[in-house]
Amino acid sequence: MSAALHLIRAPIDMRALHRWAGERGLMSDRTFDEGYALHKLLGECFGPGRLQPFRLLVPPRTGWASLYAYAVASAAKLAEDAKAVAPPEHTRILPPNALEGKEMPGDWPAGRRFGFDLRVRPVRRTDRPSDRSGAVEVDAFVHEARDMPEGEMTRRGRTREVVYRDWLARQFERLGGAQLERCGLAAFRRARCVRADGAYGSEGPDATLQGALLVTDGDAFARMLARGVGRHRAYGYGMLLLRPVGAKALRR
């Protein structure tokens, strides 16, 4: 890659985030999309897409969370820019002076193995005539199951975990750079998203996958880290958090 990639950590005051989101009309009785609120906040603090992909980790029983993101700017440069342009209410949520970062390796030799933790929205696009709104996103598990007779998914061992593992393997193949060695479903829920126009989007899968990968092409792997995996990468999905193989993942 032409520019060095940095791993950034930003502390987030969750109570202040919720207050700000309420004042901005980003919360309602129907849903609160944390990813959409953070997408707006980060864009107004640092500029669109500069901290992306990102991942929010919220420890239990605390008012503070950690936002991790990849960026081509250093923590010092991002903090300098935020001090110049971010409104005061934004800096209460994300104090610029508290930004931390490190430069990621410039070389990823083929054959290296890493553990990973990845939050994704494993969906497939469909334009079936039966879908009322034309092209829509469908849970990859639901998409596969609806083409099979009742009970066939179970008979074939096509669990949600297996379907999502195969979905991720295809993502790696398409992006290049890494081969999936092992993958398990660590967490799953269904979540309704909010997107750019503030309208409520579709409900879909919110999955955390953990496992191990093998680097096959260093340059392509670096591009995959910077880009992220899957859809909704601007809203808290798709960030590959690396760790030693066998080490425990960071917990939300």
Side-chain angles (χ1 to χ4, degrees):
M1 295 183 64
S2 58
L5 189 67
H6 296 258
L7 175 61
I8 305 296
R9 176 189 173 271
I12 301 291
D13 185 328
M14 294 301 293
R15 296 184 182 91
L17 175 67
H18 282 238
R19 285 195 300 271
W20 173 80
E23 293 167 358
R24 291 285 294 268
L26 303 179
M27 300 180 69
S28 78
D29 294 337
R30 292 181 61 186
T31 189
F32 172 52
D33 186 340
E34 254 173 20
Y36 177 67
L38 287 167
H39 168 80
K40 298 283 287 184
L41 179 80
L42 295 176
E44 293 172 14
C45 281
F46 306 104
R50 293 188 72 197
L51 282 171
Q52 182 183 315
F54 68 84
R55 173 82 177 275
L56 184 70
L57 297 174
V58 186
R61 298 179 295 278
T62 179
W64 284 87
S66 291
L67 184 140
Y68 292 91
Y70 290 126
V72 295
S74 67
K77 174 59 176 168
L78 290 164
E80 178 186 342
D81 293 345
K83 289 175 185 176
V85 301
E89 64 271 23
H90 292 48
T91 60
R92 287 195 295 270
I93 303 168
L94 194 167
N97 286 336
L99 284 176
E100 300 176 284
K102 71 167 189 178
E103 186 172 326
M104 297 294 285
D107 182 34
W108 300 93
R112 289 197 68 181
R113 297 176 66 240
F114 295 100
F116 69 85
D117 186 289
L118 174 66
R119 182 188 178 206
V120 287
R121 201 166 170 94
V123 294
R124 295 186 61 180
R125 295 283 288 179
T126 176
D127 55 359
R128 295 183 176 201
S130 59
D131 292 326
R132 296 179 181 178
S133 59
V136 295
E137 291 183 347
V138 178
D139 183 330
F141 177 76
V142 173
H143 186 277
E144 182 172 328
R146 69 184 186 181
D147 287 331
M148 294 189 186
E150 185 176 354
E152 187 65 16
M153 290 286 282
T154 301
R155 284 190 289 272
R156 295 189 184 188
R158 299 299 291 170
T159 63
R160 187 177 294 275
E161 182 173 68
V162 169
V163 171
Y164 289 173
R165 179 199 66 199
D166 292 349
W167 174 89
L168 183 58
R170 288 193 297 271
Q171 296 291 317
F172 279 14
E173 289 170 5
R174 183 173 66 85
L175 295 171
Q179 175 183 320
L180 186 64
E181 289 195 332
R182 176 173 47 83
C183 178
L185 181 62
F188 170 79
R189 68 183 182 117
R190 297 194 64 83
R192 184 172 294 279
C193 65
V194 177
R195 289 303 173 251
D197 59 358
Y200 294 102
S202 60
E203 185 186 54
D206 183 338
T208 300
L209 304 177
Q210 296 173 354
L213 59 82
L214 176 72
V215 177
T216 56
D217 181 306
D219 290 340
F221 184 68
R223 289 192 295 269
M224 182 166 66
L225 287 180
R227 175 192 183 276
V229 178
R231 294 180 58 80
H232 301 265
R233 299 184 304 277
Y235 303 95
Y237 296 92
M239 183 186 185
L240 270 169
L241 282 168
L242 303 178
R243 67 177 191 267
V245 175
K248 290 184 178 180
L250 295 171
R251 299 304 300 166
R252 174 169 177 158

